[in-house]
Amino acid sequence: MYAEEVAEMAGRIRDEDIALVRERTSIAEVISDTVTLKSAGGGNLKGLCPFHDEKSPSFNVSPARNVWYCFGCGAGGDAIKFLMDAEHLSFVESVERLAARAGIQLRYVEDDRSTPRPRPQQGQRQRLVAAHAAAVDFYRAQLSTAGARRAREFLAERGFDRAAAERYGCGFAPDAWDLLTKHLRQQGFTHDELVTAGLSRPSRSGSLIDRFRRRLLWPIRDLTGDVIGFGARKLFDDDDGPKYLNTPETPIYKKSHVLYGIDQAKREIAKQGKVVVVEGYTDVMACHLAGVPTAVATCGTAFGADHIGVLRRLLMDTDAVAGEIIFTFDGDAAGQKAALRAFEDDQRFVGRTFIAVSPDNMDPCELRLAKGDLAVRDLVARREPLVDFALRHMINRYDLDTVDGRVEAMRRAAPLVAKIKDREKRPEYVRKLAGDLGMEIEPVQRAVLAAANGQPAGGSTAPARPAPVTPSVDSPRSMVEREALKLALQEPVLAGPMFDAVEAAEYRHPVHAAVRAAIAAAGGAATATGGAVWIEQVRDACDDLAGQALVGELAVEPLRIDGEPDPRYVSVTMARLQWGSVTGRIKDLKSKIQRINPVSNKDEYFALFGELLSLEQHARALREQAAGGL
């Protein structure tokens, strides 16, 4: 995901400036703000990983190359990546923060990536955020006025006292047309800024008026805690507007990316590897106050792919670290439909997805009010896998007392089982589905196999291909491949020419081959100067996810030599890398020569014999070159 974000964002900030930020940043200083680092020998540093619990340090930092890697959880990268993971920032936000720290003036380019020029409307975000901060203060002060009595009653009726209202910055938009607008204009904000921010809007007469009026307000914050918009709840029966009214789309507020409560929940989400997705602002407040600090909610839109991207970053949702995503929905028809829609998005997560539905069809806010904090915690604790919920509600639509009903339910439910990410769980769910339907296991098994192969249930299925055997990463040959890749990543100036001269076909382990291909795609080791920029270029060029992780690991893993590497060590390593394949080809040639008749196929025989002599000579040279040992 990091490489994708870099590719997307690098077009906005000039590539040369991103490289300059990496070069000018001391990764040890940045990480030391969060992690206590001690010497690990060889110029490297180590400490306890901030991204997972551990008792002994496996988090390694290489100041010489400006990269870090954790051998415990597999996370790694440069200073930009560290800020993204530790502070939950976007790529651009991390670059901008490091640039400010290093005193670098960033330059931006247009989307067409043409001639670089200063970023348009630079400073606009700061002005819009400042306007929202002033609006928060204004609305909070209004909540204590006489006109806000209904707003205070609304909060009290839902179990929220004054302290809770202050914690979440609740406010009140007064019964006036332009009170906020005048207040902000007096503070120096312009007509255009207030309209752009979504705080004010033109009236029919052309004058500027407040967007929100006679409503209870919740400030909506981004990951960094900046207020970027508001959610407004109707309080009075004569208000003919919608029940909830949110800030419109603005340069800083994109509802498909925003999750209410994320600023307060982000650290607990990252720490616990768990997030609870609820439906409203009061549900978030109720969960947090009841002891479920990982709750968040969408803001005026359905839960979608962009929200999933935000949560995956916080959860560190990878193959190595599978978190929990718990959805809470009402038990009514609308809630069931939302739950099934959530299952469709389930495949975007690596982690496990669950659903928590109150037996009384109450949302978390209602549940807390009726039964207390413990009931909210129990609701989350009694979660069930989302696939179980989806299957149950799918087959409940059909009359299982009839043959047609059972077969149709099987056809509809089979694709759900086929979508289960954990393939080892599919056979168990096949058996469960067969039992729930009252059918034999074989037809259900065929239907799921057909769905998995993209065929209609009941269609023919091709036999599954056996999985290829992957060479052991601990084999002597793989260890040599690994050492060669470390030299190319850590010491490209020294090892580059010799490394690039050895063909990619010499790398047998598929992940090693992917990294070798990425090095070539990045321009080759001989063209690199080393450091964090080179590591990121290789990582970005690698299409294999396991290869991307391996690049970070090899960038900080010590070389298998005491002291500094020299040309002789590089030569020995590359010779050993080639030795295995050369001896293999010699063996194949000898076998082929034995099968040829030297009389009737004289030309082919002598051609192969000449090739064998050449290879044996090459093998002797490699053996002498590799005699130094690793």
Side-chain angles (χ1 to χ4, degrees), residues 585-593 608 611-612 615:
R585 289 201 295 273
I586 288 174
K587 182 178 178 180
D588 292 341
L589 270 177
K590 286 182 177 179
S591 175
K592 193 171 184 179
I593 288 173
L608 290 174
E611 184 179 351
L612 174 63
L615 277 176

Side-chain angles (χ1 to χ4, degrees), residues 92 140 252 308 349 439 454 527:
V92 166
R140 289 176 67 175
I252 62 172
I308 290 172
F349 287 107
M439 299 178 66
T527 66

Side-chain angles (χ1 to χ4, degrees), residues 155 158-168 170 264 281-295 364-365 368 372-374 376-377:
L155 291 170
R158 284 154 181 77
F160 304 122
D161 57 16
R162 181 175 178 177
E166 290 180 352
R167 172 177 171 180
Y168 293 91
C170 295
Q264 295 198 34
Y281 307 125
T282 57
D283 292 331
V284 170
M285 294 174 66
C287 284
H288 289 188
L289 296 172
V292 183
T294 59
C365 182
R368 176 175 180 261
D373 293 349
L374 181 59
V376 178
R377 295 197 295 272

Side-chain angles (χ1 to χ4, degrees), residues 11 50-51 58 64 75 117 130 143 151 163 165 189 264 286 304 327 370 382 438 453 475 482 494 515 526 621:
F51 306 117
S58 58
R117 63 187 189 185
L143 187 61
F189 295 99
Q264 295 198 34
F327 296 95
R382 287 185 283 102
N453 290 329
S475 69
R482 189 181 184 93
L494 171 68
V515 175

Side-chain angles (χ1 to χ4, degrees), residues 10 15 34 49 68 79 99 120 174 180-181 292 314 340 351 357 364 431 491 513 525 593 600:
D15 292 343
T34 306
C49 181
W68 59 276
L180 173 72
T181 299
V292 183
L314 291 175
L340 294 175
V357 179
R431 281 188 280 271
E491 304 289 345
I593 288 173
S600 58

Side-chain angles (χ1 to χ4, degrees), residues 424-493:
E424 294 180 0
K425 292 182 180 178
R426 289 184 190 174
E428 290 299 320
Y429 274 100
V430 167
R431 281 188 280 271
K432 183 179 186 305
L433 178 58
D436 292 342
L437 293 172
M439 299 178 66
E440 296 294 327
I441 193 171
E442 287 78 10
V444 177
Q445 211 166 31
R446 288 195 297 271
V448 171
L449 265 175
N453 290 329
Q455 300 170 350
S460 61
T461 59
R465 296 179 180 178
V469 178
T470 300
S472 170
V473 74
D474 296 324
S475 69
R477 176 172 184 83
S478 289
M479 294 299 290
V480 174
E481 292 178 9
R482 189 181 184 93
E483 194 72 2
L485 293 172
K486 283 192 289 185
L487 284 168
L489 292 170
Q490 298 181 22
E491 304 289 345
V493 175

Side-chain angles (χ1 to χ4, degrees), residues 167-377:
R167 172 177 171 180
Y168 293 91
C170 295
F172 178 70
D175 186 6
W177 290 107
D178 60 357
L179 204 58
L180 173 72
T181 299
K182 289 179 178 178
H183 175 75
L184 295 180
R185 289 298 302 271
Q186 289 172 359
Q187 293 197 16
F189 295 99
T190 67
H191 176 286
D192 290 343
E193 286 174 337
L194 297 183
V195 172
T196 302
L199 295 169
S200 305
R201 60 185 177 87
S203 66
R204 292 179 181 177
S205 64
S207 61
L208 206 59
I209 60 175
D210 299 346
R211 178 168 295 278
F212 304 114
R213 177 171 171 260
R214 303 173 69 211
R215 286 181 173 248
L216 174 63
L217 296 177
W218 285 267
I220 299 171
R221 301 176 185 271
D222 64 11
L223 275 167
T224 66
D226 289 336
V227 177
I228 56 175
F230 289 94
R233 211 280 188 187
K234 181 169 72 172
L235 296 171
F236 303 99
D237 293 336
D238 60 349
D239 184 341
D240 58 359
K243 184 177 179 179
Y244 281 95
L245 180 65
N246 281 34
T247 294
E249 295 277 307
T250 73
I252 62 172
Y253 179 79
K254 307 294 182 185
K255 63 183 179 181
S256 64
H257 293 73
V258 176
L259 288 164
Y260 177 73
I262 196 74
D263 57 304
Q264 295 198 34
K266 65 179 181 180
R267 295 196 183 279
E268 284 298 322
I269 291 172
K271 180 181 178 182
Q272 297 184 28
K274 180 188 300 181
V275 63
V276 178
V277 181
V278 298
E279 294 191 298
Y281 307 125
T282 57
D283 292 331
V284 170
M285 294 174 66
C287 284
H288 289 188
L289 296 172
V292 183
T294 59
V296 297
T298 58
C299 300
T301 187
F303 186 82
D306 291 329
H307 298 122
I308 290 172
V310 173
L311 292 181
R312 289 200 68 219
R313 270 206 317 273
L314 291 175
L315 288 166
M316 291 176 281
D317 186 49
T318 66
D319 291 328
V321 182
E324 289 189 11
I325 304 91
I326 304 167
F327 296 95
T328 65
F329 295 107
D330 294 342
D332 57 16
Q336 293 176 18
K337 183 178 180 181
L340 294 175
R341 186 171 61 243
F343 181 74
E344 292 300 313
D345 285 328
D346 173 69
Q347 311 312 306
R348 297 176 183 268
F349 287 107
V350 175
R352 297 162 291 169
T353 51
F354 298 84
I355 186 170
V357 179
S358 169
D360 302 314
N361 292 340
M362 291 188 289
D363 60 38
C365 182
E366 294 168 337
L367 187 62
R368 176 175 180 261
L369 193 62
K371 299 185 178 181
D373 293 349
L374 181 59
V376 178
R377 295 197 295 272

